[in-house]
Amino acid sequence: MNDRPLTLMAVHAHPDDEATSTGGILARYAAEGIRTVLVTCTDGGCGDGPGGAKPGEPGHDPAAVAAMRRDELKASCAVLKISHVEMLDYADSGMMGWPTNDAPASFWRTPVEEGAARLAELIRHYEPDVVVTYDENGFYGHPDHIQANRITMAALAMTARTPKVYWTTAPRSMMRRFGEVMREFDPNAPEPDPAQAAAMATIGLPDEEITTWVDTSAFGAQKFDALAAHASQGENIFFLRMGQERFTELMGVETFVRVQDSTGAALPEDDLFAGLR
């Protein structure tokens, strides 16, 4: 009789990504006794340095930023009660088009087969029942998110495991609501240019195309606190400006597209582990 615990594995690009799109499920399933495994692919070294210093600016030391973000990740994972944390420690590639994309050690430049082989070892070790990562566009086109999708799908193909696999997404209705809230908190913000607005309109999916809606509202405080643990990146984490109550109201459901399944669980579903327990 197999006494291996049900296991969720989330594959993310940077420290803080675990909280943004999956903090709720990680907290919820940990509370339900499910083993939770986080794989963070990069060191986060292209994040903000002290005083908000950006890569290439005075005061930005990628190695120091990476060390700081590792400590913040540890604090976030403690808040979310994550069982196991694995860091692949590739160099953060930065946003699409940055010179750091082409650094020899960057995650973006890493051959997919190499990253996938390392992740496949972790999949064989933990034997996850559910794997979560980004979609093929990394949700919004970030190179490290795209690469995380690529190595995850390649790693799964290298193993004999057939877990349920999900890609994170957001309903277009929530994205519109998010835009309204952003304007509420910053009414003087300039309107995005047409190209930027058009790009934003393609993020996420029509509500009817989302397969899985997981209520994580009971864990809103944990998700908020996990994000807050990444204090060095606070300038970029708009959600923290809402306060915990508004944050939970807006972010209390996490949504996914199921892309692999062997359980036959009916869609739409409200539980990543539907058909497994």
Side-chain angles (χ1 to χ4, degrees):
M1 186 173 178
N2 190 352
D3 59 357
R4 180 184 58 81
L6 282 173
T7 300
L8 165 66
M9 175 180 284
V11 182
H12 279 293
H14 313 99
D16 80 18
D17 289 333
E18 80 290 339
T20 307
S21 59
T22 59
I25 59 163
L26 287 165
R28 169 179 163 166
Y29 290 121
E32 293 179 6
I34 287 170
R35 181 173 61 168
T36 52
V37 179
L38 170 66
V39 180
T40 300
C41 296
T42 80
D43 61 8
C46 284
D48 286 358
K54 311 298 181 187
E57 294 180 350
H60 189 282
D61 176 353
V65 170
M68 175 173 57
R69 297 193 73 183
R70 180 184 288 270
D71 290 341
E72 291 175 341
L73 179 65
K74 182 178 180 180
S76 171
C77 291
V79 169
L80 297 172
K81 311 296 185 187
I82 293 173
S83 310
H84 301 274
V85 182
E86 300 283 354
M87 296 195 71
L88 301 185
D89 267 338
Y90 289 107
D92 189 342
S93 309
M95 300 296 286
M96 190 67 80
W98 286 13
T100 47
N101 293 175
D102 296 321
S106 76
F107 188 39
W108 183 239
R109 285 282 302 274
T110 297
V112 169
E113 295 77 11
E114 176 191 318
R118 293 181 62 195
L119 182 58
E121 290 183 14
L122 296 175
I123 290 171
R124 294 186 187 102
H125 175 72
Y126 288 107
E127 299 183 322
D129 302 280
V130 172
V131 174
V132 175
T133 192
Y134 314 97
D135 64 19
E136 293 165 307
N137 190 47
F139 186 59
Y140 66 96
H142 193 297
D144 288 331
H145 291 212
I146 294 169
Q147 189 76 329
N149 167 278
R150 291 173 177 172
I151 74 159
T152 300
M153 303 312 292
L156 288 164
M158 291 177 177
T159 72
R161 301 290 303 166
T162 57
K164 296 178 80 176
V165 180
Y166 294 87
W167 293 347
T168 59
T169 190
R172 295 269 168 81
S173 61
M174 190 275 280
M175 294 302 296
R176 288 191 293 270
R177 177 64 180 140
F178 178 59
E180 293 168 1
V181 172
M182 286 185 72
R183 288 188 290 273
E184 175 187 332
F185 276 84
D186 191 2
N188 298 318
E191 289 292 324
D193 63 53
Q196 185 182 21
M200 287 293 292
T202 65
I203 293 177
L205 290 173
D207 293 29
E208 62 273 15
E209 293 183 19
I210 292 173
T211 65
T212 311
W213 305 68
V214 183
D215 183 356
T216 60
S217 56
F219 303 91
Q222 277 178 264
K223 182 171 178 174
F224 185 87
D225 289 347
L227 272 172
H230 295 282
S232 70
Q233 309 305 305
E235 178 183 326
N236 301 318
I237 304 176
F238 166 79
F239 307 110
L240 297 176
R241 292 158 55 188
M242 300 178 187
Q244 183 182 303
E245 185 175 345
R246 290 296 301 279
F247 172 83
T248 300
E249 175 189 329
L250 186 66
M251 305 289 289
V253 175
E254 292 181 350
T255 50
F256 307 87
V257 174
R258 193 173 82 190
V259 295
Q260 179 175 300
D261 174 60
S262 59
T263 68
L267 295 176
E269 61 188 356
D270 60 6
D271 179 9
L272 299 181
F273 288 84
L276 293 167
R277 53 180 178 173

